[in-house]
Amino acid sequence: MTALLAGSIAVPTALSAPTARAAEACRSGIPTYVHDVSSESGGVLRKYLDWDPLTGNAAGVLLDTGETAPLEEYSEFFTGGRGIIYVKTSEGALKTYKDNSATGGSMLTPVRDYGGNWNAYERMWSTGDNRIFALHQDGALEVYAVANPSSGSGAISKVRTVPRTDPAVAAIAQADDVWSAGQVVYTLRRGVADRYGEVKAWRYSDSASGSPFPNGSTTVVTRVDTKTRRGWSPGPGTIYTVGDTPDYTGIATSYTGTALMDIANPEVGAGIYGDVHADIASCLASPSPDIKPSVGPVPPQTETPPKAVTDGSPDPSPQNPTQFSGEFVLGDGRPAAGLPVRVEAVDVTSESTDEVQLITLGTTVTASDGTWTVPLPATLPESVKRAAADNGGIINAMASVNGKTSSGHMMRGTHMVTAAPATAPATARALVAAAAEDGSEPSKMRPITDDLRKEQAQPTVAQTNLSWASRDEQVSVDTLGDKPLPEYQSDTVREPQGDPYVVDGVDIKSLIVTPMDGGCDKTSETVIGTQIKYTTVAEGHAYWDAKATVDYDSKLSTSVEVAVKTGTKWTIEGSVTLGSAIGTATGYSNRGPYFAKQWKVPIEYKKIKEKWTCNYGRDTYYRYKIMGSKYKVPFGGVVGKSGKDVSSRDGDVNYSKSPKTHRAWVEAGSYFQISKNRSTKWSGAVSAYGVKLGGSTQYDRDHKQRITAGNYKNARHDIWGKNDRVSGKPGVFYSY
């Protein structure tokens, strides 16, 4: 990775390094490393690029290079400048590595193993040149000299010991984090309770008589809150801070200045979890503003993709919006043939605690391949008409199929389906088409276990806060994208749930299912709780000099998955489509540059108890589901808000990997927008009652993703569709 030089050399600040390295050219593009131990792999070193360290990326962000290397969870690392990385292993050995990833090599290329028992030190860090500081377990600070520090192979020798009674050493021992930029040592103390913390600077001097920190400390950052636990510097005059792993937000903040530093960028990075160190430079610079940021060689632009032009053609109508259809399969994926299907309207469920019997819209029998179709009735019941009118003309329903195995185990399959009358608005028909795409996977029949013969106690809020879905809500970066959710989730624990088809020690997923004697009756439902949860409905991307706009105006236009609980396990069984008018406008306009975030709106979710009887009314069963109902702003709440950071999808690395047919470019000063077809499907659109649900949005005149290119003329602004060309069905487009 090549660091870029500014047009003019920056003047070192009052806290700059001594003249030993002052002759070096000031640098931008500083590699920054994060030891992420939240990974299931047991620890990984991630590499970012600090593109404009002199300003603390005031108008930018830390760029994720995508480069990683395994680094054992219980090891520790620090940087030595010039691409040298020190690793103290869990066994106590000290090793050096060279970052050769910029030239296609390993980020941790071995250089030297110093061995020894370095576990005697509680923390170690480097000045970025020829000194290493090590805080001993007995409280003393030991200073080491490094011969030939640029190679990583020079001898390391102790030059002095500073007693624990020294004020600087006492501050280092009490600090939440310590690092250096040249001969300046920084100590960070986080805020406690209602008191703010601070960052102090201590200048080290080899030649000083007595204490090597003769001038005491200077406070350089104030108002450090309770979440701030880590800090680092790419060089003099710039500091970054971030919450440590337990915080889960991972939002980094930058500060710059020569004395008391000011915030340069309150959100210069997201998803920064773990210990952080930069490849320290003696002098910092800013790159030329019209150079397109790149974490590697700039992709060649010899091939010119088409200019992006918004396709104004109308949305295609679904071929048959006036019918419900689907497919049921057994647990092993084979067709569930010859079984009775009942389709019931679900939007008629009241918000009171009254039990409501669902209205049957039609019945049929599954075909030999497990498929089924039920047309909308020619005349709809009045309650269904009212619910459809409130939902933009769309009718949500639940298809259910019941049977029993040869061993006598009862099986039930359900799937949420959507239809619209022929008289429904065009937007409703488009939403039905989108819902059909979302719900195209067949639905499995699952065992009805004995614990469904009685009502279940519901977990508390404290219990659901421990679930995987609830914890993922706290993470600032969207790591799911459109990856499939776990097939079975728990609403109280983080671990994925196992196979529900093993009943009494027997795997019944491959047993043939036949109709039940007496069948099952209509479903009754009772709303047992409601929650308003902010749900992802859009996202925008604007890299480099661009601006992003997301419009989500006038009416709801979203499909959200429905979770159903069988026994102790929650699984997704289709989605409901929410199309009611919302009477307000939300979104964001002209955010950027270096901006990529999701947009969320408040949607009310119902937790519903189902009840039905089978075997001529002899057996009663209870089941629970979580279902979105309507846009609803909480009292005193915001009408919409920013969601997770999705900037890791942008930039040159992702552009280089994108299919060439998906690429296009936006002329300087012009814009491009998507205003038709379906958005991408977000697997982690929302967490409701401790369960993760996916969702998607229909683009139209009120729901758009837009990018406006800047005015730099020497480089075009590139975009590419995630799933297709940008004028086709891209789902979402990314930016470089």
Side-chain angles (χ1 to χ4, degrees):
M1 188 174 303
T2 303
L4 299 179
L5 302 181
S8 60
I9 299 300
V11 177
T13 70
L15 295 178
S16 63
T19 56
R21 294 179 62 186
E24 294 179 1
C26 296
R27 294 171 56 195
S28 63
I30 305 293
T32 303
Y33 306 91
V34 181
H35 186 194
D36 184 353
V37 297
S38 66
S39 170
E40 295 181 358
S41 62
V44 64
L45 191 67
R46 303 188 184 279
K47 182 177 180 179
Y48 293 78
L49 185 65
D50 191 343
W51 182 254
D52 186 8
L54 180 64
T55 71
N57 289 281
V61 291
L62 298 171
L63 306 179
D64 189 348
T65 70
E67 296 282 355
T68 62
L71 185 59
E72 194 262 337
E73 179 177 359
Y74 297 104
S75 63
E76 300 174 16
F77 91 103
F78 59 94
T79 52
R82 305 174 180 87
I84 300 301
I85 298 173
Y86 292 84
V87 174
K88 185 177 73 171
T89 68
S90 57
E91 293 80 17
L94 184 66
K95 300 180 179 182
T96 52
Y97 298 85
K98 179 75 171 180
D99 179 5
N100 291 324
S101 59
T103 55
S106 170
M107 195 164 71
L108 290 176
T109 303
V111 177
R112 179 170 176 174
D113 185 348
Y114 289 93
N117 183 22
W118 298 86
N119 274 341
Y121 298 109
E122 292 186 356
R123 55 173 41 136
M124 299 178 67
W125 72 97
S126 166
T127 62
D129 43 37
N130 61 353
R131 289 292 183 268
I132 292 175
F133 294 112
L135 182 67
H136 200 277
Q137 291 175 349
D138 65 10
L141 181 69
E142 297 184 345
V143 183
Y144 287 85
V146 181
N148 193 17
S150 62
S151 70
S153 61
I156 298 176
S157 57
K158 188 188 299 184
V159 295
R160 73 187 304 165
T161 298
V162 189
R164 63 184 181 182
T165 55
D166 186 280
V169 177
I172 288 169
Q174 296 171 4
D176 289 283
D177 201 10
V178 182
W179 67 95
S180 289
Q183 303 301 297
V184 178
V185 177
Y186 294 99
T187 57
L188 181 150
R189 291 291 302 273
R190 64 186 176 91
V192 179
D194 58 348
R195 298 179 61 186
Y196 287 106
E198 60 189 3
V199 177
K200 290 187 174 182
W202 308 74
R203 178 173 287 283
Y204 173 82
S205 174
D206 271 326
S207 60
S209 58
S211 171
F213 302 96
N215 299 319
S217 66
T218 301
T219 299
V220 293
V221 176
T222 59
R223 301 180 71 82
V224 172
D225 66 21
T226 57
K227 294 181 179 180
T228 304
R229 296 172 181 264
R230 298 286 186 184
W232 72 96
S233 293
T238 298
I239 285 176
Y240 296 90
T241 62
V242 71
D244 201 0
T245 304
D247 178 40
Y248 286 101
T249 56
I251 303 297
T253 300
S254 64
Y255 304 81
T256 57
T258 57
L260 187 61
M261 297 185 176
D262 294 323
I263 291 179
N265 190 333
E267 192 170 331
V268 73
I272 310 293
Y273 310 123
D275 197 12
V276 189
H277 293 277
D279 190 53
I280 311 163
S282 62
C283 176
L284 300 177
S286 289
S288 175
D290 60 352
I291 294 178
K292 204 171 187 179
S294 175
V295 300
V298 178
Q301 294 186 335
T302 53
E303 296 183 13
T304 303
K307 181 180 176 182
V309 178
T310 299
D311 186 347
S313 60
D315 291 334
S317 297
Q319 290 186 356
N320 206 339
T322 62
Q323 69 179 25
F324 301 103
S325 61
E327 178 184 356
F328 285 110
V329 296
L330 305 178
D332 62 0
R334 290 182 297 154
L339 298 176
V341 179
R342 181 189 300 272
V343 178
E344 299 169 291
V346 295
D347 287 334
V348 298
T349 303
S350 70
E351 296 185 17
S352 71
T353 57
D354 297 336
E355 183 176 311
V356 177
Q357 188 175 67
L358 299 186
I359 297 173
T360 299
L361 297 175
T363 59
T364 188
V365 175
T366 57
S368 59
D369 61 356
T371 61
W372 60 271
T373 299
V374 170
L376 271 175
T379 302
L380 292 171
E382 286 301 317
S383 60
V384 177
K385 283 184 181 179
R386 289 193 299 270
D390 291 339
N391 199 38
I394 299 163
I395 299 171
N396 291 306
M398 178 180 69
S400 60
V401 60
N402 300 281
K404 65 178 181 179
T405 67
S406 56
S407 58
H409 287 104
M410 179 179 169
M411 307 289 285
R412 180 175 173 90
T414 59
H415 197 72
M416 308 305 297
V417 289
T418 302
T423 56
T427 52
R429 297 195 300 272
L431 279 166
V432 170
E437 286 188 59
D438 280 348
S440 59
E441 292 294 320
S443 188
K444 292 181 180 179
M445 298 191 71
R446 308 179 200 275
I448 299 300
T449 51
D450 286 341
D451 53 5
L452 269 71
R453 292 181 179 272
K454 59 182 179 180
E455 299 180 47
Q456 297 181 20
Q458 300 303 304
T460 65
V461 172
Q463 289 173 319
T464 59
N465 286 343
L466 299 176
S467 73
W468 167 74
S470 296
R471 298 293 287 272
D472 183 75
E473 278 298 280
Q474 302 174 51
V475 177
S476 61
V477 173
D478 178 32
T479 57
L480 283 173
D482 59 356
K483 297 176 184 175
L485 292 170
E487 184 171 5
Y488 300 104
Q489 300 181 52
S490 167
D491 53 5
T492 57
V493 299
R494 295 185 66 180
E495 293 74 21
Q497 299 301 289
D499 190 342
Y501 290 94
V502 177
V503 180
D504 298 329
V506 178
D507 189 339
I508 64 172
K509 69 168 61 72
S510 298
L511 298 181
I512 296 298
V513 178
T514 57
M516 298 177 59
D517 291 341
C520 297
D521 66 4
K522 298 179 180 180
T523 307
S524 294
E525 292 189 347
T526 306
V527 177
I528 60 174
T530 60
Q531 274 186 356
I532 298 175
K533 304 293 287 186
Y534 284 84
T535 305
T536 299
V537 293
E539 71 178 57
H541 293 259
Y543 197 78
W544 188 36
D545 65 336
K547 305 280 188 181
T549 296
V550 160
D551 287 330
Y552 195 87
D553 298 350
S554 301
K555 62 183 181 299
L556 208 59
S557 186
T558 292
S559 296
V560 182
E561 290 177 332
V562 175
V564 174
K565 189 177 186 182
T566 300
T568 60
K569 303 173 176 65
W570 290 90
T571 190
I572 302 300
E573 294 191 350
S575 61
V576 290
T577 297
L578 311 178
S580 59
I582 61 177
T584 188
T586 69
Y588 52 75
S589 298
N590 295 321
R591 299 290 300 273
Y594 302 104
F595 178 87
K597 282 200 173 182
Q598 295 172 341
W599 185 249
K600 308 176 83 169
V601 299
I603 292 177
E604 184 178 69
Y605 291 84
K606 298 177 181 178
K607 195 171 193 180
I608 296 171
K609 178 182 67 179
E610 293 180 357
K611 184 180 78 172
W612 71 96
T613 59
C614 302
N615 298 325
Y616 301 104
R618 290 191 294 265
D619 297 314
T620 300
Y621 298 94
Y622 299 90
R623 198 177 67 159
Y624 299 86
K625 66 184 177 187
I626 300 166
M627 184 176 76
S629 62
K630 59 184 176 181
Y631 175 91
K632 187 175 183 180
V633 181
F635 180 75
V638 64
V639 299
K641 64 181 181 179
S642 292
K644 293 191 176 186
D645 187 285
V646 285
S647 58
S648 62
R649 274 74 150 165
D650 294 328
D652 60 307
V653 173
N654 294 301
Y655 177 80
S656 298
K657 295 177 180 178
S658 67
K660 291 183 178 180
T661 55
H662 292 190
R663 299 175 185 173
W665 62 279
V666 184
E667 188 175 37
S670 67
Y671 73 88
F672 170 76
Q673 71 183 24
I674 304 179
S675 54
K676 58 173 288 188
N677 295 314
R678 184 174 69 108
S679 74
T680 189
K681 183 177 179 180
W682 298 280
S683 290
V686 67
S687 174
Y689 291 100
V691 179
K692 186 69 71 174
L693 309 174
S696 65
T697 290
Q698 181 69 17
Y699 292 122
D700 53 42
R701 65 181 182 180
D702 299 306
H703 308 92
K704 302 183 286 289
Q705 178 194 352
R706 174 188 288 197
I707 188 170
T708 302
N711 290 309
Y712 292 127
K713 309 232 182 249
N714 65 334
R716 68 177 185 232
H717 198 100
D718 295 283
I719 61 173
W720 67 100
K722 177 183 181 296
N723 301 320
D724 192 7
R725 66 191 189 281
V726 296
S727 59
K729 294 183 177 182
V732 66
F733 63 81
Y734 303 128
S735 169
Y736 170 55

